[in-house]
């Protein structure tokens, strides 16, 4: 079935507001029209859904769930993977990762949902949930732009080791763009097509092994992120001496002066150094972040998300081929 069919179906189910969909519902006197047509309760700038329950708590929850249906997190569309050879296990892991990342964006959108109106009738409670289209579009547009930038970067490297990442980014983009189409009916045109990825010429032939070493009380969550970032683009982590590269990661945390009672200031540093198997330095970078907290752990939790995102964003600086 076509995209237009699914778009119309979603609009019909949740009562998405539009000029053409608004019709008189002939609601009995004293009753709001949105009880019979959710679209009657919102304007063109909103997406609305209504539901009933034995209490307002239940009807509120059901209305928000009905609203979430338009951004159904269950991925039913077929995934596309290039001619690059991926094992069944890899494909399964890739699909799961893509769904998780899409769900993060959908959850962020749904945080903006609120109950616009309530009504009580014959012992039943009715709720009308609303979501601002502009806010939802802004979240999706920002994420799609970020994905497009990453895809263009990895595509420009013409390296087989980034094929897995390109496949994951492409599928993630397709799913999120479908959600945007539901809101603005157009989405954002692709900058890199699946055919371009499929026909990509590689600059390297096989996966390289990396020996990952850490020092300085490296937080487990950051070390795991390094492993994930490297394996996502095709490298194999090994603890043996037959590696093609050695990546050393160090972590430092220093307490600094802060004239605030009950709080302390900490500076955190993550230094990454990449070397060839012969021991020659080929790339690296240093990340520095500062945060306040009652304890070092408390302060680190505030900057951990930034460290995690910057680890992946700075991966090209290692100059691994």
């Amino acid at each position: 079935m076509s995209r237009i069919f699914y778009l119309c179906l979603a609009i019909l189910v949740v009562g998405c507001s539009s000029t053409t969909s608004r019709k008189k519902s002939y609601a009995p006197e004293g009753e709001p029209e949105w009880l019979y047509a959710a679209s009657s309760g919102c304007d063109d700038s909103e997406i609305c859904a209504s539901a009933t329950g034995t209490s307002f708590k239940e009807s509120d929850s059901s209305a928000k769930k009905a609203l979430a249906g338009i951004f159904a997190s269950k991925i039913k569309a077929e995934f596309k993977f290039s001619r690059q050879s991926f094992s069944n296990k890899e494909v399964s892991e890739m699909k799961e990762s893509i769904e998780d990342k899409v769900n993060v964006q959908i959850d962020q959108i749904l945080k903006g949902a609120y109950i616009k109106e309530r009504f009580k009738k014959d012992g039943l409670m009715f709720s009308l949930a609303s979501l601002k289209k502009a806010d939802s579009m802004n979240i999706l547009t920002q994420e799609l732009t970020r994905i497009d930038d990453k895809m263009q970067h990895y595509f420009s490297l013409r390296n087989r080791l980034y094929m897995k990442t390109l496949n994951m980014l492409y599928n993630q983009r397709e799913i999120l763009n479908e959600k945007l189409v539901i809101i603005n009916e157009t989405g954002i045109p692709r900058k890199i097509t699946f055919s371009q990825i499929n026909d990509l010429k590689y600059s390297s032939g096989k996966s390289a092994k990396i020996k990952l070493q850490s020092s300085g009380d490296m937080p487990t969550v950051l070390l795991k992120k390094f492993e994930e970032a490297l394996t996502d683009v095709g490298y194999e982590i090994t603890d043996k001496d037959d590696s093609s590269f050695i990546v050393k990661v160090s972590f430092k945390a220093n307490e600094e002066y802060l004239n605030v009672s009950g709080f302390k200031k900490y500076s955190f540093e993550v230094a990454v150094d990449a070397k060839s198997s012969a021991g020659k330095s080929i790339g690296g970078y240093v990340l520095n972040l500062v945060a306040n907290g009652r304890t070092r752990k408390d302060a680190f939790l505030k900057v951990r998300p930034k460290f995690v995102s910057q680890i992946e964003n700075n991966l090209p600086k290692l100059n691994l081929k």
Side-chain angles (χ1 to χ4, degrees):
M1 297 183 184
S2 67
R3 174 185 295 178
I4 298 299
F5 174 83
Y6 283 114
L7 173 60
C8 293
L9 180 61
I11 292 174
L12 178 63
V13 171
V14 302
C16 181
S17 172
S18 69
T19 303
T20 57
S21 67
R22 252 184 246 157
K23 294 181 180 180
K24 189 175 181 180
S25 64
Y26 300 101
E29 185 177 353
E31 296 183 5
E33 291 188 4
W34 59 261
L35 257 62
Y36 304 91
S39 59
S40 300
C42 56
D43 57 36
D44 292 336
S45 67
E46 301 170 283
I47 300 172
C48 289
S50 59
T52 184
T54 57
S55 65
F56 280 130
K57 181 178 180 180
E58 182 181 341
S59 61
D60 287 354
S61 177
S62 296
K64 288 184 177 181
K65 286 180 180 178
L67 190 59
I70 195 171
F71 302 107
S73 57
K74 182 64 177 178
I75 310 303
K76 295 185 174 68
E78 287 187 10
F79 288 85
K80 280 188 175 182
F81 293 106
S82 67
R83 288 192 293 263
Q84 170 75 4
S85 178
F86 296 119
S87 67
N88 291 335
K89 181 181 179 181
E90 282 182 304
V91 169
S92 178
E93 291 175 346
M94 290 164 71
K95 287 182 178 180
E96 183 177 346
S97 177
I98 292 167
E99 290 186 2
D100 288 343
K101 290 177 180 178
V102 168
N103 288 338
V104 168
Q105 296 302 313
I106 301 306
D107 289 343
Q108 187 176 351
I109 290 173
L110 294 175
K111 286 181 180 179
Y114 68 98
I115 300 301
K116 187 175 183 179
E117 292 186 35
R118 295 187 178 93
F119 186 77
K120 183 177 180 180
K121 173 187 174 183
D122 298 333
L124 290 176
M125 312 301 169
F126 298 83
S127 297
L128 178 70
S130 176
L131 193 64
K132 296 295 184 183
K133 287 184 179 180
D135 295 339
S136 303
M137 287 173 58
N138 184 51
I139 292 172
L140 288 171
T141 299
Q142 286 185 0
E143 182 63 9
L144 286 168
T145 300
R146 187 189 72 84
I147 291 175
D148 280 338
D149 290 342
K150 292 184 71 172
M151 288 184 68
Q152 287 183 304
H153 169 71
Y154 287 122
F155 185 81
S156 68
L157 297 177
R158 296 292 196 279
N159 193 316
R160 189 197 69 81
L161 295 174
Y162 298 106
M163 204 60 181
K164 184 176 180 180
T165 296
L166 281 169
N167 274 262
M168 292 181 65
L169 288 172
Y170 174 85
N171 282 284
Q172 182 183 348
R173 188 197 191 285
E174 286 296 287
I175 295 169
L176 290 177
N177 199 45
E178 287 292 337
K179 310 302 181 185
L180 184 58
V181 168
I182 292 173
I183 301 173
N184 67 3
E185 301 183 10
T186 58
I188 299 176
R190 306 179 189 91
K191 292 185 177 181
I192 295 177
T193 67
F194 182 73
S195 295
Q196 288 176 299
I197 296 174
N198 211 20
D199 296 335
L200 186 63
K201 302 301 181 183
Y202 313 128
S203 63
S204 60
K206 62 179 182 179
S207 297
K209 294 182 179 180
I210 292 179
K211 189 171 186 178
L212 184 61
Q213 301 176 334
S214 64
S215 61
D217 193 24
M218 185 73 180
T220 302
V221 65
L222 296 187
L223 188 59
K224 286 185 176 180
K225 183 58 185 178
F226 271 106
E227 293 178 351
E228 177 186 319
L230 291 169
T231 55
D232 275 352
V233 294
Y235 293 100
E236 179 183 342
I237 305 299
T238 181
D239 57 359
K240 299 180 180 179
D241 295 327
D242 61 345
S243 62
S244 301
F245 304 101
I246 300 172
V247 175
K248 294 184 178 181
V249 186
S250 63
F251 178 81
K252 293 181 181 178
N254 296 313
E255 183 179 341
E256 300 184 2
Y257 175 74
L258 179 66
N259 189 24
V260 178
S261 178
F263 284 86
K264 297 179 180 180
K265 182 178 181 180
Y266 292 90
S267 62
F268 300 96
E269 177 186 285
V270 172
V272 189
D273 180 41
K275 296 182 178 181
S276 67
S277 57
K280 180 181 178 180
S281 182
I282 57 175
Y285 60 89
V286 178
L287 303 175
N288 288 291
L289 293 174
V290 177
N292 301 333
R294 295 186 181 280
T295 63
R296 172 180 145 174
K297 181 179 180 180
D298 181 43
F300 175 70
L301 288 174
K302 294 179 180 179
V303 297
R304 185 175 67 179
K306 290 185 179 180
F307 270 128
V308 169
S309 63
Q310 290 187 29
I311 284 172
E312 183 179 79
N313 294 337
N314 285 280
L315 197 61
K317 294 180 180 180
L318 299 182
N319 295 319
L320 303 172
K321 301 299 181 180

